[in-house]
Amino acid sequence: MAQDLVIGIDVGGQTSKCGVVDARGTVLAQTVIRTDTYDTVEPYIAELAEALNRIVAEAKAEGRIRGIGVGAPNGNFYTGTIESAPNLKWGHNRVEFAKLLSEQMNGIPVSLTNDANAAAVGEMTYGAARGMKNFIMITLGTGVGSGIVINGEVVYGHDGFAGELGHTAAVRHNGRACGCGKTGCLEAYCSATGVARTAREWLEMTDEPSVLRSLDKISSKDVYDAATDGDKLALKIFEFTGRILGEKFADFIEFSAPEAIVLFGGLARAKEFLSEPIQKAMDANVLPLWRGKVKLVYSQLKESDAAILGASALAWEL
Amino acid sequence: MAQDLVIGIDVGGQTSKCGVVDARGTVLAQTVIRTDTYDTVEPYIAELAEALNRIVAEAKAEGRIRGIGVGAPNGNFYTGTIESAPNLKWGHNRVEFAKLLSEQMNGIPVSLTNDANAAAVGEMTYGAARGMKNFIMITLGTGVGSGIVINGEVVYGHDGFAGELGHTAAVRHNGRACGCGKTGCLEAYCSATGVARTAREWLEMTDEPSVLRSLDKISSKDVYDAATDGDKLALKIFEFTGRILGEKFADFIEFSAPEAIVLFGGLARAKEFLSEPIQKAMDANVLPLWRGKVKLVYSQLKESDAAILGASALAWEL
């Protein structure tokens, strides 16, 4: 009998990436469709199903798809719905995503969660967290997401929305405004946008010389490039970012005593600048019993495939 | 056949409380022995076993004890050991507590965890958290302990020591020294000793009139009594304490999305002064999706029995 396969779908605000994946994490066929050209979910799902059937045919996987895993903003594992997702044109209200897609795909079961939880399952199935039963995945991208694994299972909580560590308080009083409406959130400091914001603030508040002064707009990539060239201000920005991450990681460790914290996402590429300050702040802020014991590791998934792999991993648990 | 029973043991620094408990949480027989008159664990365990046999006979429970549950400082669920417990004279090194006790009790299985985790299991089995699968127990006593329940199971983490929420940061920089060696821990502010410390600090730093000024030594009970009498400074102390608790609870909610936070312990008796500021700070600091949704509840276990009940509940899971 031919080997079982799964489909992974990463639903982003602009595009949706889909792939047919085998048990080893090889993407056998993949494609991308637009997410943002639909105002309602039904035509989007119809187009998505068509795309899936295309890659299933391409991978010669007809009849072998065991399940479909979906990572989507505000995806709820318990209900299979996407709720109030501001970045999805058709996702402002409650969308019965898993049900609608399964119906279009001849009843193949569909499992759905948010992107960070999907990344955690992906890392546990194919990546840096293989064999780990207790770890915390932190995604450092435009925002800061998290997927918490305890006893080998993603924590969804009472309502399906657990794991919003990007919105725990990094700065308790007078912190930066965050996109969520609160202030001082970890995400406001340690996301890619947070790093760019730190750069803009520090350039304005100090006279420190920096190659960043010559730029019109500053992105976290610019700060990274400057740090690579030895720019002192850029290096300090990563030190500051790493310190805040490490301080919060200490709190997270005291919550669930993970074996490791796994970092993923665009900003995690700056590991040569982040690892030391993170580790230092983690050790300085955690109870002695965990000092030096919790690993800090980086995603091992090929970045171009990671989103598909993470989502696909969900489907193995169906 | 006669009904199965369990034994619960609460190991404290000075005394150890033991009881024979039925499935409804009725304590059929109980006794107390000293913990602090032994320098090594063996004679303590021998005395403990003797006490247990006595209450088993008293409850006519011979042959009916299904298991023994133990709540002890620094108790490790995975290994059944007590490790580096500063408050236990015989517990400074690693003690094979569960194994030693089981041997003395004719092989009856023994399950052990720290006191706050035991309290969480007790509340889930007999108390305010019956039927809940996701909640966080916070014990407000001499220290601040926590037991986290996710999917109906206590979170022990990779090493068995998860759930040290009392040592997450309440004040990030220039916080109070905590007994654990760190600074700014929740426990340094919101334990009974933390409340007394706030009183002493505020009395020294301000001229505000208060009945507390006339006291030589101040305990959290004194602050509670003063608040009950309408003392403004005492009321402000509870408001401050409640605000810090609520701020931290918001972070905890963003971690595991519990159905409720359950408060337990001596200081939780001040609920008429704590509930409002806790709820207010929780709502102000949590993501909008959880605002007003996570219950704040108080332990329903009879206080004199609670420690025994919590420990005994562990034994039902053996």
Side-chain angles (χ1 to χ4, degrees):
Chain A
M1 207 185 78
Q3 189 201 10
D4 269 2
L5 301 171
V6 291
I7 286 174
I9 305 171
D10 175 61
V11 179
Q14 296 180 325
T15 62
S16 299
K17 299 182 191 114
C18 333
V20 176
V21 179
D22 71 13
R24 292 191 177 177
T26 311
V27 180
L28 305 176
Q30 58 179 301
T31 190
V32 179
I33 68 163
R34 303 285 307 188
T35 313
D36 58 1
T37 47
Y38 304 91
D39 291 323
T40 58
V41 72
E42 289 78 10
Y44 163 76
I45 294 271
E47 162 88 23
L48 182 60
E50 213 179 289
L52 297 184
N53 287 326
R54 230 165 31 233
I55 55 173
V56 166
E58 191 188 325
K60 300 189 176 40
E62 289 93 344
R64 293 164 61 196
I65 302 298
R66 184 165 138 174
I68 299 172
V70 183
N74 291 28
N76 188 310
F77 178 77
Y78 292 145
T79 57
T81 54
I82 295 174
E83 297 181 31
S84 331
N87 299 328
L88 300 175
K89 273 174 89 171
W90 42 262
H92 293 250
N93 297 314
R94 182 185 162 101
V95 170
E96 304 267 359
F97 196 96
K99 185 167 161 273
L100 289 171
L101 181 60
S102 181
E103 279 167 9
Q104 290 288 314
M105 293 300 291
N106 299 315
I108 296 177
V110 175
S111 187
L112 176 146
T113 189
N114 74 38
D115 16 13
N117 286 340
V121 183
E123 216 63 49
M124 184 164 50
T125 311
Y126 314 114
R130 250 173 308 181
M132 286 188 197
K133 295 276 179 202
N134 293 279
F135 70 95
I136 298 176
M137 178 92 191
I138 302 284
T139 62
L140 302 172
T142 317
V144 173
S146 66
I148 302 158
V149 173
I150 290 176
N151 286 337
E153 291 184 1
V154 173
V155 174
Y156 295 110
H158 179 57
D159 56 9
F161 291 117
E164 286 290 352
L165 299 183
H167 297 284
T168 59
V171 174
R172 181 60 70 185
H173 302 289
N174 303 314
R176 286 180 190 167
C178 180
C180 72
K182 303 200 297 168
T183 59
C185 296
L186 182 58
E187 173 165 307
Y189 294 85
C190 300
S191 59
T193 41
V195 165
R197 200 162 156 187
T198 304
R200 285 193 301 271
E201 277 184 13
W202 289 15
L203 286 172
E204 203 174 301
M205 283 163 40
T206 71
D207 289 330
E208 204 155 334
S210 166
V211 296
L212 296 169
R213 292 202 181 275
S214 60
L215 302 175
D216 265 355
K217 272 193 168 181
I218 296 173
S219 70
S220 62
K221 176 73 166 54
D222 296 325
V223 183
Y224 175 77
D225 290 342
T228 306
D229 291 342
D231 185 86
K232 283 209 178 112
L233 188 75
L235 289 166
K236 269 194 218 166
I237 290 169
F238 279 113
E239 209 178 295
F240 170 78
T241 309
R243 173 169 67 72
I244 293 183
L245 284 170
E247 287 173 353
K248 292 304 295 179
F249 291 176
D251 276 7
F252 304 160
I253 292 167
E254 281 155 358
F255 196 105
S256 71
E259 179 177 353
I261 290 182
V262 184
L263 295 178
F264 175 83
L267 197 61
R269 263 172 279 172
K271 63 175 157 185
E272 73 262 47
F273 306 122
L274 286 173
S275 287
E276 208 184 291
I278 291 178
Q279 193 74 55
K280 212 172 131 188
M282 245 167 77
D283 284 342
N285 286 278
V286 84
L287 280 176
L289 85 107
W290 287 299
R291 246 163 238 167
K293 289 199 184 142
V294 180
K295 293 173 231 166
L296 185 68
V297 300
Y298 290 82
S299 168
Q300 283 175 9
L301 298 182
K302 204 175 122 194
E303 203 156 327
S304 56
D305 292 348
I308 289 173
L309 287 178
S312 79
L314 274 180
W316 293 114
E317 307 195 341
L318 275 162
Chain B
M1 208 185 77
Q3 191 200 11
D4 270 2
L5 301 170
V6 290
I7 285 174
I9 304 171
D10 176 61
V11 179
Q14 297 181 326
T15 62
S16 300
K17 299 183 190 109
C18 333
V20 176
V21 179
D22 72 12
R24 291 190 178 178
T26 310
V27 180
L28 305 176
Q30 59 179 302
T31 190
V32 178
I33 67 163
R34 306 282 311 186
T35 312
D36 58 1
T37 46
Y38 304 92
D39 291 324
T40 56
V41 73
E42 290 77 10
Y44 164 76
I45 294 269
E47 161 87 23
L48 183 61
E50 213 179 289
L52 297 184
N53 288 326
R54 231 164 31 231
I55 55 173
V56 166
E58 190 188 327
K60 300 190 174 41
E62 289 95 342
R64 293 164 62 195
I65 302 297
R66 185 164 135 174
I68 299 171
V70 183
N74 291 28
N76 188 310
F77 178 77
Y78 293 145
T79 57
T81 54
I82 295 175
E83 298 181 32
S84 332
N87 299 328
L88 300 175
K89 273 174 91 172
W90 41 261
H92 293 249
N93 298 314
R94 183 185 162 102
V95 170
E96 302 267 1
F97 196 96
K99 185 167 161 275
L100 289 170
L101 182 59
S102 181
E103 279 167 9
Q104 290 288 314
M105 294 298 293
N106 300 317
I108 296 177
V110 175
S111 187
L112 178 147
T113 189
N114 73 39
D115 16 13
N117 287 341
V121 183
E123 216 63 50
M124 184 162 53
T125 311
Y126 314 114
R130 250 172 309 178
M132 286 188 195
K133 295 276 179 203
N134 294 279
F135 69 96
I136 298 176
M137 178 93 191
I138 301 284
T139 63
L140 301 172
T142 317
V144 173
S146 66
I148 302 157
V149 173
I150 289 176
N151 286 336
E153 291 183 1
V154 173
V155 174
Y156 296 109
H158 178 57
D159 56 11
F161 291 117
E164 287 290 352
L165 299 183
H167 297 284
T168 58
V171 174
R172 182 60 71 187
H173 302 290
N174 303 314
R176 287 181 190 165
C178 181
C180 72
K182 304 200 296 167
T183 60
C185 296
L186 182 57
E187 173 164 307
Y189 293 85
C190 298
S191 59
T193 40
V195 166
R197 198 162 157 187
T198 304
R200 286 194 300 272
E201 278 185 12
W202 290 13
L203 286 171
E204 203 174 302
M205 283 162 44
T206 71
D207 289 329
E208 204 155 334
S210 168
V211 297
L212 295 169
R213 291 203 182 273
S214 60
L215 303 174
D216 266 355
K217 269 193 170 182
I218 296 174
S219 71
S220 63
K221 176 71 166 55
D222 297 324
V223 184
Y224 175 76
D225 290 342
T228 306
D229 291 342
D231 186 86
K232 284 211 178 108
L233 188 75
L235 288 165
K236 269 195 221 165
I237 290 168
F238 279 112
E239 208 178 294
F240 171 78
T241 309
R243 174 170 65 72
I244 293 182
L245 284 170
E247 287 173 354
K248 291 304 294 178
F249 291 176
D251 276 7
F252 305 160
I253 293 167
E254 281 155 357
F255 197 104
S256 70
E259 180 177 352
I261 290 181
V262 184
L263 296 179
F264 176 83
L267 197 62
R269 263 174 278 171
K271 63 175 157 183
E272 73 262 45
F273 306 123
L274 286 173
S275 287
E276 208 183 290
I278 290 177
Q279 193 74 56
K280 212 171 130 188
M282 243 168 79
D283 284 343
N285 286 278
V286 83
L287 280 175
L289 85 107
W290 287 299
R291 246 163 239 167
K293 289 199 184 142
V294 180
K295 293 174 233 166
L296 186 65
V297 300
Y298 290 82
S299 168
Q300 283 175 8
L301 299 182
K302 205 175 119 194
E303 203 155 327
S304 56
D305 293 347
I308 289 172
L309 287 178
S312 80
L314 274 181
W316 292 114
E317 307 195 341
L318 275 161

